[in-house]
Amino acid sequence: MRTIMLIDMDYFFAACEEIKRPELKKRPTVVGADPKMGRGRGVVMTCNYIARKYGIRSGMPISAAYRLKPDAEFLPLDYSYYEKKSAEVMSIIRGYSAKMEQVSIDEAFIDASGNIADSSGAMEYAKKIKKSVREKAGLPCSIGIGPSRLIAKMACEDAKPDGIRLVDHGDEKAFISGMPVGRLYGIGRKSEERLAGMGYDTVGKLANANIMELMDAFGSFGVEMHKYANGIDESEVVENYEVKSIGRERTFESDTDDREEILRAILELSGEVAAEAAKLGVSFKTITVKMRYSDFSEHMKGLSIRPSSSEAALGGTAKMLYTANVEKGRKLRKIGVRVSGLSDYKSQKRLSAYLSSE
Ligand code: DCP
Ligand code: CA
Ligand code: CA
């Protein structure tokens, strides 16, 4: 029988800021865009749990966060520090199981089946991991434990903050069936609304739904969600972490159709993306420009080129994509540049090798 654990850092970016300035631990702390006395644009990336008491959440406009708690501590992003802390944490976790899969900057699965005998062993093992992440990296995390990735992930949400939650073999369905469908892994807001319209508001109801009906509504994703709702997930923890794309975005101070200003932003973003690609030692094949207009509608245009790592090729293609596709007379709120179709040009070594040796 398998024992999978998901380790997810608590309020990660803000917790990193607390290391730099421990006095922030006692204050509501928000990481994201500059609130500019309530007139700032952009969003909250994350905040500590004190700030969450005031209703502040990831993804909310920074101006809304400011209204909720004007005297909170508002901090800009310090990505390179978060990446450094992430690499530290990941190498600590990897020490507990070679079968480890990093799934985001602050989150990793391990398959601990070979390291433990039973559920009390699993609990002890998770406590050790938590303790060593806390002591060595100075950061809090939560751990979900279960017979599959699905259950480990959902148990981790239950464990937050700073906790451990174990769901035993056989208890999977009981654990998830009372939850609202929106809490099921993979179900976003839109799917949740559609499912509710079909009469499936809890995971338990979805588990008993007719598969054909779900397939009609959602295609193959319907089959998947039905499996998940029944607590079934056979997928393996595979150590093959790869960066799938690299992107940067910018929100303009005020909505703009000034071509010079927009082109300048595109070139700067292209420079940052190319620098990140160079750091990882990857070339890119597809270049995408995202334009968000003042009414929040969003258009993406992409083009594939011969694999390249050149900043000039990236900037030139991005400028061209913008010029050819922007709707005349409409103002932009935000512009983004992204590259994908990445491959490693330094050697045949997997990206994970670079990422873990940082
Ligand atoms: N993040 C981001 N963009 C988002 C959401 C989050 O860049 N839309 C960043 C900020 C977070 C980090 O990624 O600190 C990890 O995201 P999580 O969703 O795991 O959230 P937190 O770690 O901040 O909080 P929690 O304690 O709920 O895990
Ligand atoms: Ca987290
Ligand atoms: Ca996370």
Side-chain angles (χ1 to χ4, degrees):
M1 270 196 288
R2 298 193 303 161
T3 301
I4 310 293
M5 298 189 185
L6 177 72
I7 300 115
D8 182 277
M9 307 307 295
D10 295 333
Y11 63 99
F12 182 55
F13 291 1
C16 290
E17 296 295 341
E18 288 180 357
I19 297 179
K20 293 193 275 178
R21 285 173 54 198
E23 74 274 15
L24 296 175
K25 284 187 199 226
K26 297 200 176 67
R27 311 238 318 109
T29 300
V30 180
V31 178
D34 184 346
K36 303 199 172 157
M37 310 292 281
R39 287 188 298 273
R41 326 246 313 180
V43 298
V44 172
M45 297 308 280
T46 193
C47 59
N48 66 8
Y49 279 76
I50 305 179
R52 292 183 198 194
K53 280 195 211 148
Y54 296 93
I56 301 176
R57 294 286 181 276
S58 296
M60 106 182 348
I62 200 77
S63 53
Y66 185 85
R67 278 197 295 279
L68 288 166
K69 189 67 181 152
D71 61 348
E73 203 72 49
F74 287 94
L75 303 172
L77 293 156
D78 182 357
Y79 261 115
S80 58
Y81 185 66
Y82 312 148
E83 277 165 2
K84 184 178 143 242
K85 294 307 288 182
S86 168
E88 265 176 51
V89 167
M90 294 305 155
S91 81
I92 295 168
I93 297 173
R94 190 168 282 114
Y96 287 87
S97 173
K99 210 165 171 188
M100 184 266 222
E101 179 179 346
Q102 182 177 352
V103 285
S104 83
I105 190 166
D106 81 327
E107 200 172 322
F109 285 102
I110 61 171
D111 186 330
S113 313
N115 309 86
I116 52 150
D118 54 18
S119 48
S120 80
M123 204 63 196
E124 288 313 307
Y125 206 64
K127 281 184 194 160
K128 272 199 216 166
I129 297 174
K130 239 174 99 56
K131 188 158 174 269
S132 100
V133 170
R134 164 79 77 177
E135 284 172 2
K136 293 184 190 148
L139 287 166
C141 66
S142 298
I143 303 183
I145 311 170
S148 64
R149 293 161 52 113
L150 169 74
I151 299 298
K153 171 86 185 164
M154 293 176 71
C156 184
E157 280 163 25
D158 229 42
K160 276 191 177 295
D162 203 20
I164 300 173
R165 174 78 159 95
L166 180 146
V167 177
D168 255 317
H169 290 267
D171 294 344
E172 303 89 313
K173 277 192 82 165
F175 171 60
I176 58 176
S177 61
M179 293 181 183
V181 277
R183 278 206 49 198
L184 190 64
Y185 182 66
I187 307 278
R189 184 85 50 81
K190 273 192 192 150
S191 309
E192 181 183 5
E193 277 167 18
R194 267 183 91 186
L195 285 167
M198 295 161 71
Y200 307 122
D201 55 348
T202 66
V203 174
K205 287 185 196 164
L206 180 61
N208 294 320
N210 181 309
I211 294 197
M212 294 313 265
E213 186 192 1
L214 294 177
M215 274 182 75
D216 278 345
F218 297 96
S220 62
F221 177 50
V223 180
E224 183 137 312
M225 65 169 77
H226 186 258
K227 272 192 179 172
Y228 282 1
N230 281 282
I232 301 166
D233 170 26
E234 316 266 82
S235 64
E236 291 280 334
V237 173
V238 216
E239 173 143 19
N240 66 339
Y241 177 71
E242 284 178 33
V243 183
K244 297 209 170 68
S245 70
I246 303 169
R248 291 285 185 275
E249 298 185 346
R250 170 151 330 147
T251 303
F252 294 106
E253 281 301 311
S254 52
D255 297 348
T256 183
D257 55 3
D258 177 352
R259 187 178 152 78
E260 289 309 312
E261 182 185 9
I262 296 167
L263 290 180
R264 219 167 28 242
I266 289 174
L267 285 185
E268 278 169 28
L269 294 169
S270 300
E272 289 170 25
V273 169
E276 182 70 25
K279 204 175 96 191
L280 293 169
V282 291
S283 59
F284 40 82
K285 204 173 80 192
T286 303
I287 295 165
T288 307
V289 168
K290 184 167 92 175
M291 292 165 275
R292 180 182 277 177
Y293 293 98
S294 44
D295 63 355
F296 281 85
S297 63
E298 212 161 75
H299 292 217
M300 292 214 295
K301 289 290 168 191
L303 188 73
S304 288
I305 57 172
R306 280 216 337 263
S308 166
S309 55
S310 137
E311 178 178 341
L314 171 54
T317 307
K319 269 165 70 172
M320 187 279 283
L321 282 167
Y322 159 75
T323 307
N325 295 291
V326 68
E327 291 179 30
K328 301 266 174 327
R330 290 186 74 190
K331 290 193 172 177
L332 285 185
R333 179 180 168 85
K334 191 184 203 177
I335 188 95
V337 175
R338 180 167 293 278
V339 295
S340 53
L342 307 180
S343 52
D344 189 335
Y345 65 71
K346 280 187 186 157
S347 71
Q348 293 308 309
K349 233 166 141 185
R350 286 191 316 193
L351 283 177
S352 57
Y354 290 104
L355 291 167
S356 59
S357 65
E358 264 190 341

